[in-house]
Every structure is written in structure tokens, then in C-alpha cells.
Amino acid sequence: MNGKTFTEIKGWRETRYLPRLGKIRLGIKGISRRTGREYPIEIDYFYCPPEVKAIHGEQPKILDIMFPSDDPTIIIPFCYKMYGANNRLKCKGNGEEALYWDTETRELKEKKCPCEYLGSKDPRNSCDKRGHLMVILPLVSLGGVYQIDTGSGANINRILDAIAYWQTMVGRCRGIPLTLERVPEKILSPDGKMNIHYLFRFGCKMKVEDLNKAIENTKQILAIDYKIEPPKEEGMLDDTPIEYIDEEDIPTLPQEIKPPQEKNVEDDENTPIKSYRERLGDLMKEVYKDDLSAMQQELLKLTSFVNKEGKEIVGETSLKSLSDAQAKVAFYKFRKEIEEEEKQKSEGKLFEEELKEEDRQRKIDSIKENQQRLNELGIDPFVIKQIFTSEGIKEGLNKANDEQLDEIKKQLEQLVERKERIHGEQEFEKKEVITNDKTM
């Protein structure tokens, strides 16, 4: 077109983004086997996705990291937050003003911050500080960031201190190879007790000469501007680590957080959904249909356990006999079993598909070998083409289905066998003629 080429729309892409690759956790959720109550359990290591565990180990206490930006509001966005049913964000504020979701008018509204819910002991209406640390794990991937959530004011301050320190030392903090470690420290709790928590500690393995090079490259690094995909702030996460614990261990755990009554996925705070007993029953009917015996055996397995003293506690065989807490624990255990089974089936199906593809390729290779052999035997290519055409093959073997491949393979093999037999008989006759000529 007049010698001009067009390969992009001007002004189409002004911002470059680094995607969010996954989440690293500082704790897990404990559920009592007997009561079904939920408890936050702080751990002394980073709970990581599989690809991070493959590099840093199963329970790493130290990670190699880099900050993806020089903007503290991108590296560690934090504010006051309050969550509702299904981990939906109800309100967030900066200490002066806040935005909250009005369930009656179903719209966002402004209010003063903080309010009476800050530090509330009622988990259904409790507001507290929340930060989302965004880091690159260079040994895992340079193609995105990982999110680490923290509600610790000490951790948030240490992150801000590390940002300020490296910006002062080097002129930037972006791209500096650092380490992030979890270290045990005693922290004074609101009730006056000293409790051990595992806080952040930043380190760096760079030598002086490497530091000088980093300072020299600062202008070049700062010229590259990538935005970061915002952290995930709300919603239930299926990969939240869960551990089932004995009731006897409960007094030794951190302060209990009672689970709020589950609501609809919508923001209506007044309409409860089905109970765990009903949800468990629906799930078991979906799996076992009308097989009552199989459902009873499954329920017995789900509700039986061995306590801390090694005593076996026999479970129930009737949904009506379950307490709400038992039904909740059984529901989550059964759902996890189904997910694991589906995962295994998916992996098995993938293996079957791989075997099927290998078998298909073998058929194609065999057809091509027979084509070559028929050419060597002097068969008219039109004859071979007719076989393909009769099976509806016009765009090559890769477009053919398995039945077409089987039939073509069969016809070509029969043709090769017939032609080789004829060829062999002709060769034998030639040898006889030559022998007779010599004897005469």
C-alpha cells in the first residue's frame, strides 16, 4: 500500500506492566477437628507456591528478593481495612478518610477514618492495618512479582526503612539484590504479655565493588518504568493452607478468630446461605447419587479421627447426628478429597492424551513409510492419492481423524504386501529364466 507498513497503533500502549505471579503467606488457617472453629496460626517460615518451593525449599525462612519499583506505594501499599463475608472488602481508609460499601444503597460512600471498628475484637466488624509487599524473586522468575500480605505494623515499618536506606545509599532501591528473612522476636501484646512473632529482616550480599557498580547504573535503571499489577485485596482463595488441629491444642494457639456466618457471594449481609450440613449432603449426593451405604461409609471416615493421646474417636454415619462444627470440618475435608481426586483424574487424562498422541504419530509415520515403499516399488502416485481421497483426506494427515488414519494405514499396508509379493514372484521368474538359459 504505497510502500508504507503499519505495525502498531500510535498511543495504544503507554504503560508496561509486571504481572502478579502468586502469593506467599506468613501463616496458615487451623480448624479444630471437634468444634470446627478457625484459628490463625503464625508459622516461622514462608508458605510458598510450588515453583518457589522448588528453588528455595519446602519451608524457607529466607528468600532472595528484589524490589520491583522505587515507589513505596507500589512496593508496600497499606491502609486500614475491614472485611465482611467471604473475605469481601467492606471498607478501607488512610487514617483521615475512608470508602465503605453501603449494603442498603449498594454503593460506595465516604466516611471519617478511623472509626469505632478500629481494633474491634468482633471479627465480623474489625478494622486493622493491612499491607501488601510486592517483590520479585530473581531465582524463580524475573517476569512478575509475588505478593506477601502482613498485618504487622513492625513489618510495614521495616519495609519502608529498607526502601529509604537503599534509596539513600544507591539512589534507588529497585533491582538491588536483597534477602528477606523471618526472625523470631518478642513483641508486647495489648494484654501486656510478651509473645514471640516472626518479623521481617532485610539483608544484602553485595560487596563494595558491586555497590559502586549499582550506583553507576542507577540512572539507566530508573529510566525503565514498569507498573506493577495491583495486589489481590479480597475474595476467598482456594489455595489457603489449612491444618486440622486437636481441641486440646487450642489454649496454646494465638487468639481465636471465630468464623463469621457465611453469606451469599453478593454483599447482602442479611441473607444466609445453606448450612454446612446441607452443603455436605448436597455434595455427597452429587458424588454417590442414591447409594446410601456409600454415603454412610464416607461420612464415618470423614468424622472419625485419632486424638492427641492416640485414642481413636469413632465418627457418625448420619448427617442429622452431626453438630454444625462437625459438619463444617467434614464438608471441607470431603471437598478437599474431591479436588485431589479430580486433580489425579486430570493428570491421568493428560497422560492418556499423551499416549493417544504418540499412537497417532506412529500411525502417521507408518503411512509415510508405506508411501515411500510404494514409490520404490513403482506404484503410480495417482493410486496412492486415490486412497487418501476416498477417505476424505484433502489437507494432509495432521487433519485426519483416528478412523481415517487406521483405514489409510490398513489399505497401504495391504497394497505394499500385495506389490511386494508380486515383485518377489517377478524376481523369482527372472532368476529361473536366467538359470534355464545357462543350462541350455
Side-chain angles (χ1 to χ4, degrees):
M1 185 183 288
N2 200 22
K4 292 185 178 181
T5 58
F6 298 94
T7 58
E8 66 174 348
I9 299 174
K10 299 301 182 183
W12 176 261
R13 192 167 183 267
E14 299 292 339
T15 305
R16 294 171 290 185
Y17 275 93
L18 275 179
R20 175 184 172 277
L21 300 179
K23 194 168 186 178
I24 296 172
R25 291 176 169 81
L26 307 180
I28 60 177
K29 179 168 69 176
I31 299 180
S32 167
R33 288 192 180 95
R34 188 170 65 84
T35 66
R37 289 180 178 176
E38 298 178 1
Y39 305 85
I41 301 178
E42 186 180 15
I43 52 180
D44 62 350
Y45 58 91
F46 295 100
Y47 189 94
C48 303
E51 70 274 14
V52 180
K53 290 180 181 179
I55 301 297
H56 289 282
E58 191 69 24
Q59 296 182 354
K61 296 185 179 182
I62 184 168
L63 298 172
D64 290 285
I65 69 160
M66 292 193 303
F67 289 135
S69 172
D70 273 283
D71 186 348
T73 63
I74 292 177
I75 299 173
I76 175 67
F78 67 98
C79 61
Y80 290 120
K81 294 183 180 180
M82 183 167 70
Y83 289 88
N86 291 328
N87 282 0
R88 296 296 295 271
L89 187 60
K90 295 168 63 176
C91 182
K92 61 190 296 187
N94 61 5
E96 295 180 354
E97 56 183 0
L99 283 174
Y100 75 99
W101 179 254
D102 191 318
T103 56
E104 293 183 1
T105 62
R106 303 186 71 78
E107 61 182 358
L108 284 173
K109 291 186 177 180
E110 294 185 2
K111 63 184 293 187
K112 287 185 178 181
C113 179
C115 66
E116 67 275 14
Y117 294 126
L118 180 62
S120 170
K121 293 183 179 180
D122 181 2
R124 302 186 189 196
N125 291 294
S126 179
C127 173
D128 207 344
K129 63 186 101 49
R130 196 71 177 164
H132 311 283
L133 174 61
M134 311 300 283
V135 295
I136 294 173
L137 303 184
L139 299 183
V140 179
S141 173
L142 292 170
V145 296
Y146 284 85
Q147 175 181 335
I148 306 176
D149 293 344
T150 179
S152 166
N155 276 343
I156 293 172
N157 283 331
R158 292 183 182 193
I159 296 166
L160 295 172
D161 288 343
I163 294 170
Y165 175 81
W166 287 104
Q167 287 178 337
T168 302
M169 286 286 291
V170 184
R172 63 182 167 90
C173 64
R174 185 197 312 172
I176 301 294
L178 304 174
T179 57
L180 177 60
E181 186 178 3
R182 299 199 67 189
V183 293
E185 293 188 23
K186 286 187 176 181
I187 301 293
L188 184 65
S189 64
D191 59 3
K193 296 181 180 179
M194 296 297 291
N195 296 323
I196 293 180
H197 293 280
Y198 300 92
L199 303 182
F200 291 163
R201 182 167 68 190
F202 290 88
C204 182
K205 300 175 183 177
M206 279 201 307
K207 298 178 182 178
V208 175
E209 52 268 29
D210 296 326
L211 182 62
N212 291 331
K213 289 180 182 178
I215 295 173
E216 293 173 4
N217 294 332
T218 292
K219 288 185 179 180
Q220 180 182 352
I221 296 295
L222 291 179
I224 304 171
D225 185 25
Y226 275 84
K227 299 296 182 182
I228 310 300
E229 183 180 332
K232 184 176 178 63
E233 292 185 296
E234 62 178 354
M236 297 291 285
L237 296 174
D238 294 335
D239 59 340
T240 300
I242 296 175
E243 181 177 311
Y244 292 96
I245 54 180
D246 290 324
E247 190 71 14
E248 299 84 58
D249 294 334
I250 288 174
T252 66
L253 295 174
Q255 183 181 4
E256 174 185 340
I257 294 183
K258 295 181 180 179
Q261 183 184 18
E262 288 212 13
K263 308 289 181 181
N264 283 325
V265 178
E266 300 295 329
D267 289 302
D268 188 353
E269 297 287 338
N270 301 312
T271 309
I273 62 173
K274 289 183 177 181
S275 68
Y276 281 103
R277 190 182 293 101
E278 292 173 311
R279 293 165 69 183
L280 176 61
D282 291 344
L283 197 58
M284 296 185 84
K285 287 177 183 177
E286 185 180 332
V287 174
Y288 294 111
K289 309 303 178 188
D290 296 323
D291 192 340
L292 181 61
S293 176
M295 285 192 276
Q296 289 176 333
Q297 290 297 318
E298 181 65 41
L299 189 59
L300 180 64
K301 184 182 74 172
L302 290 170
T303 54
S304 299
F305 66 95
V306 178
N307 66 13
K308 197 173 182 180
E309 283 74 30
K311 182 181 178 182
E312 184 176 355
I313 307 299
V314 179
E316 304 288 347
T317 57
S318 170
L319 284 171
K320 293 181 180 179
S321 303
L322 296 181
S323 66
D324 291 339
Q326 285 177 312
K328 180 176 182 179
V329 174
F331 170 76
Y332 280 117
K333 288 174 72 175
F334 190 45
R335 190 173 70 174
K336 188 174 182 180
E337 285 181 9
I338 294 172
E339 289 171 354
E340 288 294 328
E341 188 175 333
E342 288 177 349
K343 182 180 177 182
Q344 291 176 2
K345 286 181 180 178
S346 176
E347 291 173 350
K349 186 177 180 181
L350 182 62
F351 180 66
E352 288 177 3
E353 288 176 354
E354 289 175 354
L355 290 178
K356 187 177 180 180
E357 184 59 33
E358 288 178 3
D359 182 56
R360 177 182 173 83
Q361 190 58 48
R362 280 194 293 268
K363 292 175 184 177
I364 293 174
D365 292 341
S366 174
I367 290 172
K368 290 179 178 179
E369 289 174 4
N370 286 325
Q371 279 184 273
Q372 184 178 352
R373 179 57 182 153
L374 289 170
N375 289 332
E376 293 171 355
L377 292 171
I379 295 296
D380 188 345
F382 180 74
V383 175
I384 300 174
K385 187 177 180 180
Q386 267 192 320
I387 294 175
F388 280 72
T389 305
S390 66
E391 292 301 321
I393 306 300
K394 298 179 181 179
E395 300 181 13
L397 293 173
N398 289 330
K399 299 283 186 177
N401 58 41
D402 289 339
E403 291 180 359
Q404 290 172 320
L405 290 177
D406 286 336
E407 186 60 32
I408 292 172
K409 179 174 175 288
K410 177 183 175 182
Q411 290 190 42
L412 290 181
E413 285 175 348
Q414 291 175 348
L415 186 57
V416 167
E417 182 181 355
R418 188 163 62 249
K419 291 299 179 182
E420 284 186 337
R421 186 173 65 249
I422 294 172
H423 181 72
E425 290 173 352
Q426 290 174 345
E427 289 295 317
F428 180 75
E429 289 176 358
K430 286 181 182 179
K431 288 181 181 179
E432 278 196 332
V433 170
I434 294 172
T435 303
N436 291 335
D437 288 344
K438 287 181 179 181
T439 54
M440 293 175 66

Coordinates of all heavy atoms in Angstrom, one line a residue, residues 89-132:
L89 N -14.0 -7.1 50.8 CA -13.5 -5.8 51.4 C -14.7 -4.9 51.6 O -15.3 -4.5 50.6 CB -12.4 -5.2 50.5 CG -11.7 -4.0 51.1 CD1 -11.0 -4.3 52.4 CD2 -10.7 -3.5 50.0
K90 N -15.0 -4.5 52.9 CA -16.1 -3.7 53.2 C -15.7 -2.2 53.3 O -16.5 -1.3 52.9 CB -16.8 -4.1 54.5 CG -17.4 -5.5 54.4 CD -17.8 -6.0 55.8 CE -18.8 -5.1 56.5 NZ -19.2 -5.7 57.8
C91 N -14.5 -2.0 53.7 CA -14.1 -0.6 54.0 C -12.6 -0.5 54.0 O -11.9 -1.4 54.4 CB -14.7 -0.1 55.3 SG -14.3 1.6 55.7
K92 N -12.0 0.6 53.5 CA -10.6 0.9 53.5 C -10.4 2.4 53.7 O -11.1 3.2 53.1 CB -9.9 0.3 52.3 CG -10.3 0.9 51.0 CD -9.8 0.2 49.8 CE -8.3 0.3 49.7 NZ -7.7 -0.3 48.5
G93 N -9.4 2.7 54.5 CA -9.1 4.2 54.8 C -7.7 4.4 55.1 O -6.9 3.5 55.3
N94 N -7.3 5.7 55.1 CA -5.9 6.1 55.2 C -5.6 6.8 56.6 O -4.6 7.4 56.8 CB -5.5 7.0 54.1 CG -6.3 8.3 54.0 OD1 -7.1 8.6 54.9 ND2 -6.1 9.1 53.0
G95 N -6.6 6.8 57.5 CA -6.4 7.4 58.8 C -7.1 8.8 58.9 O -7.2 9.3 60.0
E96 N -7.6 9.3 57.7 CA -8.3 10.5 57.7 C -9.7 10.4 57.1 O -10.7 10.8 57.6 CB -7.5 11.6 56.9 CG -6.2 12.0 57.6 CD -5.4 13.1 56.9 OE1 -5.9 13.4 55.7 OE2 -4.4 13.5 57.4
E97 N -9.7 9.7 55.9 CA -10.9 9.4 55.2 C -11.0 8.0 54.8 O -9.9 7.3 54.6 CB -11.1 10.4 54.0 CG -10.0 10.3 53.0 CD -10.1 11.3 51.9 OE1 -11.1 12.0 51.9 OE2 -9.3 11.4 51.0
A98 N -12.2 7.5 54.5 CA -12.3 6.1 54.1 C -13.5 5.9 53.1 O -14.4 6.8 53.0 CB -12.6 5.2 55.3
L99 N -13.4 4.8 52.4 CA -14.5 4.5 51.5 C -15.1 3.2 52.0 O -14.4 2.2 52.3 CB -14.0 4.3 50.0 CG -13.8 5.5 49.2 CD1 -13.1 5.1 47.9 CD2 -15.0 6.3 49.0
Y100 N -16.4 3.1 52.1 CA -17.1 1.9 52.6 C -18.2 1.5 51.7 O -18.8 2.4 51.0 CB -17.5 2.0 54.1 CG -18.8 2.8 54.3 CD1 -20.0 2.2 54.4 CD2 -18.7 4.2 54.3 CE1 -21.2 3.0 54.6 CE2 -19.8 5.0 54.5 CZ -21.1 4.4 54.7 OH -22.2 5.1 54.8
W101 N -18.6 0.2 51.7 CA -19.7 -0.3 50.9 C -21.0 -0.3 51.7 O -21.1 -1.0 52.7 CB -19.4 -1.7 50.4 CG -20.5 -2.3 49.6 CD1 -21.4 -3.3 49.9 CD2 -20.8 -1.9 48.2 NE1 -22.2 -3.6 48.9 CE2 -21.9 -2.8 47.8 CE3 -20.3 -1.0 47.3 CZ2 -22.5 -2.7 46.5 CZ3 -20.9 -1.0 46.0 CH2 -21.9 -1.8 45.7
D102 N -21.9 0.5 51.3 CA -23.2 0.6 52.0 C -24.1 -0.5 51.4 O -24.5 -0.4 50.3 CB -23.8 2.0 51.7 CG -25.1 2.3 52.6 OD1 -25.9 1.3 52.8 OD2 -25.2 3.4 53.1
T103 N -24.5 -1.4 52.3 CA -25.2 -2.6 51.8 C -26.7 -2.3 51.5 O -27.4 -3.0 50.9 CB -25.2 -3.7 52.9 OG1 -25.7 -3.2 54.1 CG2 -23.8 -4.3 53.1
E104 N -27.2 -1.1 52.1 CA -28.6 -0.7 51.8 C -28.7 0.0 50.5 O -29.6 -0.4 49.7 CB -29.1 0.2 53.0 CG -29.2 -0.5 54.3 CD -29.7 0.4 55.4 OE1 -30.0 1.6 55.1 OE2 -29.9 0.0 56.5
T105 N -27.8 0.9 50.2 CA -27.9 1.6 48.9 C -27.1 1.0 47.9 O -27.2 1.3 46.7 CB -27.4 3.1 49.1 OG1 -26.0 3.1 49.5 CG2 -28.2 3.8 50.2
R106 N -26.2 0.0 48.3 CA -25.4 -0.8 47.4 C -24.5 0.1 46.5 O -24.4 0.1 45.3 CB -26.2 -1.7 46.5 CG -27.1 -2.7 47.3 CD -27.8 -3.7 46.4 NE -26.8 -4.6 45.8 CZ -26.3 -5.7 46.5 NH1 -26.6 -5.9 47.8 NH2 -25.5 -6.5 45.9
E107 N -23.8 1.0 47.2 CA -22.8 1.9 46.6 C -21.7 2.3 47.6 O -21.9 2.2 48.8 CB -23.6 3.2 46.1 CG -24.2 4.0 47.2 CD -25.0 5.2 46.6 OE1 -24.9 5.4 45.4 OE2 -25.6 5.9 47.4
L108 N -20.6 2.8 47.0 CA -19.5 3.2 47.8 C -19.8 4.6 48.4 O -20.3 5.5 47.7 CB -18.2 3.3 47.0 CG -17.5 1.9 46.7 CD1 -16.4 2.1 45.7 CD2 -17.1 1.3 48.0
K109 N -19.5 4.8 49.7 CA -19.7 6.1 50.3 C -18.4 6.5 51.1 O -17.6 5.6 51.5 CB -20.9 6.0 51.3 CG -22.2 5.9 50.5 CD -23.4 6.0 51.5 CE -24.7 6.0 50.8 NZ -25.8 6.1 51.7
E110 N -18.3 7.8 51.4 CA -17.1 8.2 52.2 C -17.5 8.4 53.7 O -18.7 8.6 54.0 CB -16.7 9.6 51.6 CG -16.1 9.5 50.2 CD -15.5 10.8 49.8 OE1 -15.5 11.8 50.6 OE2 -15.0 10.9 48.6
K111 N -16.5 8.2 54.5 CA -16.7 8.4 56.0 C -15.4 8.8 56.6 O -14.3 8.7 56.0 CB -17.2 7.1 56.6 CG -16.3 5.9 56.5 CD -16.8 4.7 57.1 CE -17.0 4.7 58.6 NZ -17.4 3.4 59.1
K112 N -15.4 9.2 57.8 CA -14.2 9.6 58.5 C -13.4 8.4 58.9 O -14.0 7.3 59.2 CB -14.5 10.5 59.7 CG -14.9 11.9 59.4 CD -15.1 12.7 60.6 CE -15.5 14.1 60.3 NZ -15.7 15.0 61.5
C113 N -12.1 8.5 59.0 CA -11.2 7.4 59.4 C -10.2 7.9 60.4 O -9.6 9.0 60.2 CB -10.6 6.8 58.2 SG -9.4 5.4 58.5
P114 N -9.9 7.1 61.5 CA -10.5 5.8 61.9 C -11.9 6.0 62.5 O -12.3 7.1 62.8 CB -9.5 5.3 62.9 CG -8.9 6.5 63.5 CD -8.9 7.5 62.4
C115 N -12.6 4.8 62.6 CA -13.9 4.8 63.2 C -13.9 3.9 64.4 O -12.9 3.3 64.8 CB -15.0 4.4 62.2 SG -14.8 2.7 61.7
E116 N -15.1 3.6 65.0 CA -15.2 2.8 66.2 C -14.8 1.3 66.0 O -14.6 0.6 66.9 CB -16.6 2.8 66.7 CG -17.7 2.2 65.8 CD -18.2 3.1 64.8 OE1 -17.6 4.1 64.5 OE2 -19.3 2.8 64.1
Y117 N -14.7 0.9 64.7 CA -14.4 -0.5 64.4 C -12.9 -0.8 64.4 O -12.4 -2.0 64.4 CB -14.9 -0.9 63.0 CG -16.4 -0.9 63.0 CD1 -17.1 -0.2 62.0 CD2 -17.2 -1.6 63.9 CE1 -18.5 -0.2 61.9 CE2 -18.6 -1.6 63.9 CZ -19.2 -0.9 62.9 OH -20.6 -0.9 62.8
L118 N -12.0 0.2 64.5 CA -10.6 0.0 64.5 C -10.2 -0.7 65.8 O -10.4 -0.3 66.9 CB -9.9 1.4 64.5 CG -8.3 1.3 64.5 CD1 -7.8 0.6 63.2 CD2 -7.7 2.7 64.5
G119 N -9.5 -1.9 65.6 CA -9.1 -2.7 66.7 C -10.2 -3.4 67.4 O -10.0 -4.0 68.5
S120 N -11.4 -3.5 66.8 CA -12.5 -4.2 67.5 C -12.2 -5.7 67.6 O -11.6 -6.3 66.8 CB -13.8 -4.0 66.6 OG -14.8 -4.8 67.1
K121 N -12.7 -6.3 68.7 CA -12.5 -7.7 69.0 C -13.5 -8.5 68.3 O -13.4 -9.8 68.3 CB -12.5 -8.0 70.5 CG -11.3 -7.4 71.2 CD -11.3 -7.7 72.7 CE -10.0 -7.1 73.4 NZ -10.0 -7.5 74.8
D122 N -14.6 -7.9 67.7 CA -15.6 -8.6 67.0 C -15.1 -8.9 65.6 O -14.9 -7.9 64.8 CB -16.9 -7.8 66.9 CG -18.0 -8.5 66.2 OD1 -17.8 -9.7 65.7 OD2 -19.1 -7.9 66.0
P123 N -14.8 -10.1 65.2 CA -14.2 -10.4 63.9 C -15.1 -10.0 62.7 O -14.6 -9.9 61.6 CB -13.9 -11.9 64.0 CG -14.8 -12.5 65.0 CD -15.0 -11.4 66.0
R124 N -16.4 -9.9 63.0 CA -17.3 -9.5 61.9 C -17.2 -8.1 61.6 O -17.6 -7.6 60.5 CB -18.7 -9.9 62.3 CG -18.9 -11.4 62.6 CD -20.3 -11.8 62.9 NE -20.5 -13.1 63.4 CZ -21.6 -13.8 63.4 NH1 -22.7 -13.3 62.9 NH2 -21.6 -15.0 63.9
N125 N -16.8 -7.2 62.5 CA -16.7 -5.8 62.3 C -15.4 -5.3 62.9 O -15.4 -4.5 63.8 CB -17.9 -5.1 62.9 CG -19.2 -5.4 62.2 OD1 -19.3 -5.0 61.0 ND2 -20.1 -6.0 62.9
S126 N -14.3 -5.8 62.4 CA -13.0 -5.5 62.9 C -12.1 -4.9 61.8 O -11.9 -5.4 60.8 CB -12.3 -6.7 63.5 OG -11.0 -6.4 64.0
C127 N -11.6 -3.7 62.1 CA -10.7 -3.0 61.2 C -9.3 -3.0 61.7 O -9.1 -2.8 62.9 CB -11.2 -1.5 61.0 SG -10.1 -0.5 60.0
D128 N -8.3 -3.1 60.8 CA -6.9 -3.1 61.3 C -6.1 -2.8 60.1 O -6.5 -2.8 58.9 CB -6.5 -4.5 61.8 CG -5.4 -4.4 62.8 OD1 -4.7 -3.3 62.8 OD2 -5.2 -5.3 63.6
K129 N -4.8 -2.5 60.3 CA -3.9 -2.1 59.2 C -3.6 -3.4 58.4 O -3.5 -4.5 58.9 CB -2.6 -1.5 59.8 CG -1.8 -2.5 60.7 CD -0.6 -1.8 61.4 CE -0.8 -1.4 62.8 NZ -1.4 -2.4 63.7
R130 N -3.3 -3.2 57.1 CA -3.0 -4.3 56.2 C -2.1 -3.8 55.1 O -2.4 -2.8 54.5 CB -4.3 -4.9 55.6 CG -4.2 -6.3 55.0 CD -4.0 -7.3 56.1 NE -3.9 -8.6 55.5 CZ -3.5 -9.7 56.2 NH1 -3.0 -9.5 57.4 NH2 -3.4 -10.9 55.6
G131 N -1.0 -4.5 54.9 CA -0.1 -4.2 53.9 C 0.2 -5.3 52.9 O 0.0 -6.5 53.3
H132 N 0.6 -5.0 51.7 CA 0.8 -6.0 50.7 C 2.2 -5.7 50.1 O 2.4 -4.8 49.2 CB -0.3 -5.9 49.6 CG -1.7 -5.9 50.1 ND1 -2.3 -7.0 50.6 CD2 -2.5 -4.9 50.2 CE1 -3.5 -6.7 51.0 NE2 -3.7 -5.4 50.8

